[in-house]
Amino acid sequence: MTPPRARPEDWYRIRRVGDGVNMIDEPWIEEFYRCNIWHVRGRDRDMLVDSGMGVVSLREWVPLVSERGLEAVASHTHFDHIGSHHEFPSRLVHAAEAGLLAHPTRADTLADPYATDAIFTRLPPAPYRSTRYAVKAAPATRLLADGDIIDLGDRHFEVIHTPGHSPGGIALWEAASGILFSGDILYDGPLVEDTYHADAADYLRSMERLLRLPVRVVHGGHFPSFDGSRHRALITAWLEGKARAGAP
């Protein structure tokens, strides 16, 4: 049976999580496929980490993201994370995935095979059709590299290159607060390590690097946020599993 359609005004959900951070998500998408969109308030400008599927206008229906200047950062370029990036004038992505943001295809963004009616509990408003869904081009206005700083005036986020899930995956680290935006390299749910451009050795190195951070709270690309203790437990268990499996 085809799911009913949601109204555009009901598509997004916003929750305050503290530290000047808001989580925006799309509740009619099944949890595994539902991207966490993070809005961070800064003194001089705001930051958006990922932008969801883009099937309903984020700027139109979530005024929070258009109130002031905003840096729209892509943690990586899979379809569920960059769908609304084209709506923002300032778009940031790691150089390794700049080509995908500028020239997305259904295959390269993983929309094919994942963007189907089966991932929704309610379909996006008409005229959306899963067979025609595609991410719109959003060429980067700033290319990111490991160690770069995203400066919001009173808040500074360090770019940590975390390849493994994808070649240009990044995490964002605010040392002053202990906040980590981890993208899809780490979250509290089943990790995806077998995309067409995943790399097992890179994934291992990225996890080892993240383990060394004195994290207080992690806001991942999917599933609920978690504290530093859970951060260390998740990575330690993952690393131990790889060791038992004989990973290099």
Side-chain angles (χ1 to χ4, degrees):
M1 180 180 294
T2 301
R5 292 189 182 269
R7 302 183 306 170
E9 59 265 37
D10 297 331
W11 189 254
Y12 292 105
R13 174 173 56 183
I14 307 170
R15 286 174 279 183
R16 294 181 180 178
V17 299
D19 301 306
V21 178
N22 296 285
M23 191 191 83
I24 306 164
D25 68 358
E26 301 166 279
W28 306 116
I29 300 176
E30 295 281 1
E31 186 176 28
F32 179 79
Y33 302 97
R34 186 191 311 150
C35 168
N36 294 330
I37 304 166
W38 300 105
H39 175 270
V40 182
R41 180 71 79 190
R43 184 191 66 207
D44 299 341
R45 63 192 60 82
D46 294 350
M47 179 173 71
L48 194 73
V49 183
D50 295 332
S51 63
M53 279 190 69
V55 292
V56 171
S57 171
L58 186 59
R59 285 180 61 92
E60 180 178 358
W61 294 103
V62 182
L64 177 68
V65 304
S66 58
E67 290 174 347
R68 55 211 301 265
L70 180 143
E71 309 280 5
V73 183
S75 70
H76 62 298
T77 57
H78 292 158
F79 75 97
D80 49 328
H81 292 262
I82 59 166
S84 290
H85 262 64
H86 68 279
E87 297 186 346
F88 299 93
S90 181
R91 301 176 296 271
L92 292 68
V93 69
H94 190 276
E97 294 187 28
L100 283 172
L101 194 63
H103 305 287
T105 69
R106 281 181 56 90
D108 289 348
T109 62
L110 298 186
D112 185 12
Y114 292 111
T116 69
D117 286 1
I119 72 172
F120 300 103
T121 56
R122 288 197 178 186
L123 289 173
Y128 172 85
R129 292 180 63 181
S130 293
T131 54
R132 296 182 181 176
Y133 169 78
V135 174
K136 293 183 180 180
T141 58
R142 178 182 172 187
L143 300 183
L144 299 173
D146 188 69
D148 284 354
I149 300 296
I150 298 174
D151 183 356
L152 305 183
D154 58 339
R155 309 188 69 168
H156 303 87
F157 290 86
E158 179 185 353
V159 174
I160 300 177
H161 185 206
T162 54
H165 176 73
S166 68
I170 60 169
L172 298 172
W173 167 241
E174 187 178 41
S177 66
I179 294 174
L180 179 72
F181 293 98
S182 60
D184 276 9
I185 196 75
L186 175 68
Y187 47 74
D188 199 353
L191 299 178
V192 177
E193 305 172 42
D194 60 353
T195 69
Y196 74 95
H197 53 185
D199 184 280
D202 281 345
Y203 215 123
L204 187 67
R205 286 188 289 268
S206 292
M207 289 290 243
E208 290 172 337
R209 185 177 182 189
L210 292 180
L211 182 59
R212 296 192 291 268
L213 295 175
V215 168
R216 178 176 64 87
V217 61
V218 178
H219 300 309
H222 299 269
F223 298 100
S225 302
F226 48 94
D227 64 13
S229 177
R230 183 64 174 161
H231 166 82
R232 292 183 289 274
L234 285 170
I235 297 179
T236 299
W238 186 91
L239 291 172
E240 289 174 348
K242 295 302 178 185
R244 287 194 299 271

